[in-house]
């Protein structure tokens, strides 16, 4: 008890010293961190990440106009009614905006890997309903050359914190041009057939799995992953991402 209390006091004192000496900025809002020992993002930024406002589309997780959930028992957005997707259900912590967008960027491009723990915990919490009954989490892989360049795969880092076993079921067999700035149709063409099952992936036939990635933009990458998994006999493929671009 005393140990805990004195450790707490020590951390507070350390925070006070570090915040003055280092003046480390929050990785999301750039304000000086009051508690640098608690990670590179301030509490205000974490608190500002709101969940997507329900009702949500049962399948893709996009917010729906309120009236739809009253009139339709299984609420599905117009796009999901038009096209049957291979991803059965998708959820995210929130919209790819504000602090969440900045935090994902810091994780991915500034190598702030410690952020994956809190992001992963938020994914676990806000994606709880789609984690029920899945056999494992499958991180969206990077091509080996991109993986080498970055030094880590942010999706694999996130997957470790969502609370289900992680299986590296997929390999990126084709290096693809960056998706940034491409329109949806081109994104789908760009990543089609970019993924193949690994040996571990071939053992997942008949199971339900959840794909993990940092951002879902048009869903093209997740769809391409789902195609490979379902081609190998996986029954159900769900997706859980840190952020989701809403209203494409
Ligand atoms: Zn901040
Ligand atoms: Zn939908």
């Amino acid at each position: 008890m005393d140990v805990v209390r004195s450790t707490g006091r020590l951390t507070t004192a350390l925070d006070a010293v570090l915040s003055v000496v280092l003046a480390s900025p929050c990785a999301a809002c750039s304000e000086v961190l009051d508690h640098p020992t608690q990670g590179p993002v301030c509490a205000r930024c974490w608190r500002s990440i709101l969940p997507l406002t329900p009702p949500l589309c049962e399948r893709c997780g996009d917010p729906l106009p309120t009236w739809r959930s009253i009139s339709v028992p299984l609420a599905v957005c117009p796009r999901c009614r038009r096209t049957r997707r291979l991803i059965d259900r998708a959820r995210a912590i929130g919209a790819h905006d504000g602090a969440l967008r900045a935090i994902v960027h810091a994780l991915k491009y500034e190598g702030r890997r410690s952020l994956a723990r809190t992001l992963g915990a938020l994914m676990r919490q806000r994606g709880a309903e789609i984690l029920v009954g899945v056999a494992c989490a499958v991180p969206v892989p990077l091509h080996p050359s991109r993986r080498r360049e970055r030094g880590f795969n942010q999706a694999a880092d996130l997957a470790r914190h969502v609370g289900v076993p992680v299986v590296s079921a997929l390999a990126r067999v084709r290096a693809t041009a960056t998706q940034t700035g491409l329109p949806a149709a081109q994104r789908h063409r760009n990543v089609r057939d970019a993924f193949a099952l690994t040996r571990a992936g071939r053992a997942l036939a008949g199971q339900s799995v959840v794909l993990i990635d940092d951002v879902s933009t048009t869903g093209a990458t997740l769809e391409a992953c789902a195609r490979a998994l379902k081609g190998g006999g996986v029954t159900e493929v769900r997706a859980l991402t840190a952020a989701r671009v809403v209203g494409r």
Side-chain angles (χ1 to χ4, degrees):
M1 197 62 164
D2 279 333
V3 178
V4 175
R5 210 177 300 138
S6 56
T7 312
R9 224 177 297 147
L10 198 63
T11 316
T12 313
L14 192 62
D15 271 333
V17 173
L18 288 177
S19 97
V20 172
V21 174
L22 302 175
S24 346
C26 165
C29 70
S30 304
E31 294 281 319
V32 173
L33 291 168
D34 291 333
H35 306 284
T37 58
Q38 287 170 19
V41 168
C42 74
R44 210 171 29 251
C45 281
W46 284 118
R47 271 199 309 270
S48 74
I49 303 173
L50 302 176
L52 293 166
T53 320
L56 304 178
C57 169
E58 272 297 309
R59 294 196 192 133
C60 71
D62 258 2
L64 291 171
T66 321
W67 57 267
R68 200 179 292 280
S69 67
I70 301 160
S71 56
V72 187
L74 187 78
V76 174
C77 77
R79 201 182 41 249
C80 288
R81 265 181 291 131
R82 263 197 317 272
T83 8
R84 189 69 181 130
R85 304 278 181 149
L86 293 167
I87 297 288
D88 297 286
R89 294 186 77 191
R91 288 294 182 270
I93 297 171
H96 190 235
D97 225 336
L100 182 54
R101 183 188 186 132
I103 291 168
V104 167
H105 190 279
L107 163 68
K108 197 167 166 181
Y109 299 112
E110 293 159 29
R112 312 299 283 264
R113 294 180 70 182
S114 66
L115 292 170
R117 177 184 293 273
T118 316
L119 279 176
L122 276 171
M123 286 163 78
R124 180 180 189 170
Q125 188 189 85
R126 296 199 184 159
E129 51 175 328
I130 71 157
L131 290 169
V132 173
V134 296
C136 62
V138 176
V140 171
L142 295 176
H143 189 267
S145 61
R146 177 74 52 85
R147 165 79 179 67
R148 262 196 308 277
E149 198 179 295
R150 188 169 296 161
F152 66 101
N153 175 4
Q154 70 282 357
D157 279 11
L158 292 169
R160 276 194 281 280
H161 300 288
V162 299
V164 290
V166 181
V167 175
S168 300
L170 294 167
R172 202 143 186 157
V173 289
R174 202 158 55 74
T176 49
T178 173
Q179 298 275 72
T180 314
L182 291 181
Q186 244 168 292
R187 280 174 179 250
H188 279 274
R189 230 173 300 135
N190 191 30
V191 290
R192 212 188 147 93
D193 308 320
F195 300 94
L197 286 182
T198 60
R199 187 195 293 262
R202 286 193 290 275
L204 295 176
Q207 316 240 40
S208 291
V209 307
V210 61
L211 280 165
I212 304 289
D213 208 357
D214 51 339
V215 184
S216 166
T217 306
T218 61
T221 302
L222 294 169
E223 282 291 308
C225 289
R227 183 181 307 278
L229 289 164
K230 287 193 167 171
V234 171
T235 326
E236 193 184 359
V237 180
R238 306 176 192 170
L240 181 57
T241 57
R244 170 176 186 80
V245 176
V246 173
R248 295 144 290 144

